Amino acid sequence: MATVAEPMLAHKHEPEENYLTCSSGFLSWAMTLDHKRIGVMYLFAVTASMLLGGVFALLVRIELLTPDKTLMDHNTYNHMFTLHGAVMVFLFIIPSIPAALGNFILPVMLGAKDVAFPRLNLASFYLWVAGAIFFLMAIAMGSLDTGWTFYTPYSSSVISGSQAGGIVAAVFGAFILGFSSIFTGLNFIVTVHTLRPPGMTWFRMPLFLWALYATSVIQLLATPVLGITLLLLILERTLGIGVFDPALGGDPVLFQHFFWFYSHPAVYIMILPAMGIISELIATFSRRHIFGYRFIAYSSIAIALLGFLVWGHHMFTSGQSPLATVIFSALTFTVSIPSAIKVFNWLATMYKGSISLATPMLYAQSFIFLFTIGGLTGLFLGTLAVDIHLHDTYFVVAHFHYVMMGGTLIAFLGGMYYWWPKITGKMYNELWGAIGCLMVFVGFNLTFFPQFMLGSQGMPRRYYTYLPHFQGYHVISTIGALVLGTGIGVALATLLWSLWTGRKAPANPWGGVTLEWTCSSPPPLANFEKTPTVGDPYDMEQVKWDAKTESWIPRPVSERTGNSASH
Amino acid sequence: MLPIQTALPLCEMLAGDVFFPQQASTIAPGVDKLFYFIFWVCVFFFVLVVGFMTAFLLKYRRKENFDASGPTHNTLLEATWSVLPFFIVCYMFYEGVIGYMDLRSAPESAYEIKVRAKKWAWEFTYPNGYSTNELHVPPNSPVSLLMQSDDVLHSLFIPAFRVKMDVVPGRYTKLWFDATVPGKYDLECTEYCGEKHSEMLAIVTVHNDRSEFDAWLAKASDVFGPVDRGEKTLAQVGSELALRKGCGQCHSIDPQKSKKTGPAWWGIFGEDHQFVDGTSAKVDENYIRESVLKPTAKVVKGYGGNMPSFAGQLKDREIDALIEYIKTLK
Ligand SMILES: [Cu+2]
Ligand SMILES: [Cu+2]
């Protein structure tokens, strides 16, 4: 593809204003329609939620240091793990990459000025805020102890009991957050369809955009089911219509079907964007064209669609029919293959590359390590005979933390470090970035690896007290959690610190060739001064290192060999 | 392995199988074997991925003049790494289904024990109608559990047998096993069911042989025999009943009147009790009887009405025994 037009990479002059400086004052943020400012607000909001969820997690881990009471009583503990799960899932992981990083990056990467519906975008943010307020109310009322899964009839018995307020607030909060998620998904889909600049064909879209697109499709199709389920749950209690509660003639297993029909695809809402980020990081920091571009793009879509067909694998012991169980097991294995191939593609991208171990790449490598463990341990859980033993034990807890946290959170941090210079215009300190990443990596493994053994030895999840012979692993896990917590603290502090002390970021500090690196850091309000020209998103030859400005600048077409973009 | 060990827990666990508790049922060896098959497949792929990753990181570190001309696509390679895992997972799926079908189809001849789960106790009822909170089974013969829940979801899990099944209100669920090694094992609830989910435990006793099991059942079912023969007092039987029927989950019996879900029992007989509706009554035989059979009739002030009714589960003479027992707590 040597005929690619030269992308607009250079700015002869720095624009005077960027999106941060073009206006000021509270209302200029609160009422902004700029996707970048909305993205930044999301970034603060979801990071705050992560810290809140993290505090709950640490309290849970500290309680589990000893088999009996360490800090709190039964009920407090049950609230803590519920809040940890609910806050992390609904307020952090689901919106983290799509709503926060996606909002900022998607239009710029695509070469657009904004998302298709800027007002709707702001509305999504405020819906998120409203949902979060209901969650905080639930916490304040102190009565959310159902687990983040709200299984009936326990949840409905709590709703009808004296503690009704808290759980209704939380369920309603989740309902509203669902709308926020649906609107964001809709917005992204329309943006990708209608706002691509000339030359940005589907197969010139960076893989992060493919991932966000696939994610948006799931958000749009699956989230309404969650909304309806939560609504039914509330109606059952207020109007006494029997849907899930056997006392009213309902079926509790139906709730599980509905719930997982959303929540399993939600797992892919969480992981697909993370995989998208990793594709960008691996290519940029290996200075190699991504290996198997089309396959990775298609696999995102395949995962999104197949993800709708496997919800029953959460219910192998629930009393669903054996035939259904066998079918769900088979379908579950089919989803594992596209994920595995993505990992092989990332490795192949590093082959013969020119690898730099800047902090985002360290996170990308941690991702491969942890996600591989998370994915492989899924095989145990897909295999029926083995899952029966492992279901609802710490093995499952370890497995999904390796996927959700080792996957999504690590990719989120990697993405934050990668785009931080673009978002804020500041370079962070590499040494501290690396230290933070290392602590997160070590702490993470210490926390969650022992939980595999705990689980297969027979330690059930959501246990406040436990049999004394499990204590050894619990102690290691708790120590790990403290290291992990500190690591995340260091990682975030390093970023924040850069706002004061960081060197000014050049337009392209990493050598990325996707469009966001062609506009200045931070970008001007309208992103691009003139409509960008679009090349192959992974043709690394388009840029070269310039020692003078310590940044990557466009390489004149005459200097290119044209190899890297070939097939 | 005793259910409760305190000494050097980690070392002891590492000395045994890292991943599994003792194998004590006919299906356990098969499950473990399949687990270890998957485990080694995982180890292989993990070493492959992390091995290549490390090698590439070392070999292709950034140099001044990089060579960005590696392949971007290779159909043969991509096909291989798509198809190979496919066959491996097909095999796992197949073995998993075979094992699962075994787990789910109980032999006709199985000895049936009924299980009732309620917040936060298990009740096992034997074919002769005797019920208790411990599961006793004969060795080397299939036992099936017909399970039912009084309130919310629970799940019965016996790690040493590798079996688990949810207990769902409004329908029956089934589980079976064939225990091979006499001894005592833990039974746990693995579906979150509220405050004391983690204390919803029971002990499974696998007897040495069938006749020992039969002897145990005969002796245990003869609740009032020892009273009739003058070997025990009615109050002693009452204290055993309180244990077996799970009253102790919610009622404390110590003089400090330690707080649980329900009111403490120490010294209540003869006291005047206030109820949430503002009335009061003296704790006497009739009051206790009513509390057990119709707990919502008078709910003690300061407590929720979450005591389950024992109507149909306690015979008159058993209630007598419980009353006698509560009388002695002073
Ligand atoms: Cu799932
Ligand atoms: Cu339970």
Side-chain angles (χ1 to χ4, degrees), chain A residues 181-246:
Chain A
S181 180
I182 293 171
F183 290 155
T184 303
L186 183 74
N187 220 337
F188 284 4
I189 290 179
V190 178
T191 306
V192 169
H193 274 277
T194 60
L195 294 187
R196 278 176 288 131
M200 179 61 88
T201 58
W202 282 88
F203 288 105
R204 277 198 189 159
M205 277 194 343
L207 290 165
F208 183 49
L209 296 188
W210 274 95
L212 284 177
Y213 182 81
T215 308
S216 304
V217 171
I218 312 178
Q219 283 175 307
L220 202 61
L221 296 181
T223 319
V225 179
L226 177 74
I228 293 166
T229 311
L230 296 177
L231 213 55
L232 284 174
L233 190 60
I234 294 179
L235 287 184
E236 171 166 75
R237 291 336 296 182
T238 47
L239 302 181
I241 309 166
V243 186
F244 306 125
D245 187 350

Side-chain angles (χ1 to χ4, degrees), chain A residues 255-336:
Chain A
F255 178 85
Q256 297 179 31
H257 279 292
F258 280 1
F259 182 82
W260 289 114
F261 187 85
Y262 164 74
S263 292
H264 189 81
V267 170
Y268 296 108
I269 298 180
M270 308 177 202
I271 198 68
L272 277 175
M275 292 169 154
I277 291 186
I278 299 305
S279 299
E280 302 303 327
L281 299 186
I282 300 268
T284 302
F285 290 95
S286 306
R287 291 210 53 69
R288 282 264 286 112
H289 191 285
I290 193 91
F291 187 90
Y293 170 88
R294 276 185 188 241
F295 185 86
I296 300 185
Y298 284 135
S299 73
S300 294
I301 304 292
I303 291 177
L305 298 180
L306 286 172
F308 276 100
L309 305 177
V310 300
W311 77 90
H313 68 206
H314 297 267
M315 302 167 56
F316 288 161
T317 68
S318 71
Q320 77 183 357
S321 84
L323 178 65
T325 298
V326 169
I327 294 173
F328 279 124
S329 165
L331 289 169
T332 299
F333 279 115
T334 62
V335 215
S336 67

Side-chain angles (χ1 to χ4, degrees), chain B residues 20-54:
Chain B
F20 285 105
Q22 187 182 357
Q23 298 176 342
S25 74
T26 47
I27 63 137
V31 171
D32 296 10
K33 215 173 114 196
L34 187 52
F35 179 96
Y36 276 108
F37 168 74
I38 305 173
F39 177 76
W40 289 115
V41 170
C42 289
V43 169
F44 171 79
F45 279 102
F46 179 72
V47 170
L48 193 78
V49 167
V50 174
F52 273 114
M53 188 174 107
T54 326

Side-chain angles (χ1 to χ4, degrees), chain A residues 310-462:
Chain A
V310 300
W311 77 90
H313 68 206
H314 297 267
M315 302 167 56
F316 288 161
T317 68
S318 71
Q320 77 183 357
S321 84
L323 178 65
T325 298
V326 169
I327 294 173
F328 279 124
S329 165
L331 289 169
T332 299
F333 279 115
T334 62
V335 215
S336 67
I337 308 251
S339 313
I341 306 176
K342 284 199 185 203
V343 173
F344 295 142
N345 278 308
W346 292 325
L347 285 179
T349 306
M350 289 164 62
Y351 172 65
K352 287 200 175 167
S354 167
I355 300 171
S356 140
L357 280 179
T359 309
M361 185 62 159
L362 290 178
Y363 279 106
Q365 300 300 308
S366 309
F367 177 97
I368 295 187
F369 185 100
L370 301 174
F371 180 75
T372 301
I373 296 182
L376 287 171
T377 48
L379 295 175
F380 295 91
L381 301 173
T383 306
L384 288 177
V386 178
D387 178 69
I388 298 300
H389 177 69
L390 299 175
H391 181 76
D392 269 342
T393 66
Y394 264 74
F395 193 93
V396 176
V397 175
H399 160 71
F400 71 72
H401 278 91
Y402 265 89
V403 178
M404 306 280 73
M405 194 177 181
T408 313
L409 181 87
I410 295 286
F412 176 71
L413 288 173
M416 280 253 261
Y417 269 88
Y418 183 56
W419 284 304
W420 188 258
K422 185 55 63 186
I423 296 174
T424 63
K426 297 288 185 183
M427 297 302 290
Y428 58 83
N429 180 308
E430 276 293 345
L431 178 65
W432 280 101
I435 293 175
C437 178
L438 189 72
M439 285 178 76
V440 169
F441 180 78
V442 171
F444 181 90
N445 283 299
L446 269 181
T447 312
F448 294 107
F449 204 82
Q451 296 187 359
F452 285 118
M453 275 82 87
L454 268 178
S456 62
Q457 289 279 359
M459 165 87 202
R461 66 193 284 199
R462 298 176 171 175

Side-chain angles (χ1 to χ4, degrees), chain A residues 501-519:
Chain A
T501 60
R503 171 169 76 82
K504 188 176 168 353
N508 190 354
W510 311 125
V513 293
T514 43
L515 293 180
E516 78 273 27
W517 304 112
T518 65
C519 52

Side-chain angles (χ1 to χ4, degrees), chain B residues 154 189 191-193 197 200:
Chain B
H154 301 277
C189 175
E191 185 64 66
Y192 177 67
C193 54
H197 167 53
M200 194 164 157

Side-chain angles (χ1 to χ4, degrees), chain A residues 492-505:
Chain A
L492 294 179
T494 304
L495 288 178
L496 284 183
W497 189 236
S498 76
L499 293 179
W500 287 277
T501 60
R503 171 169 76 82
K504 188 176 168 353

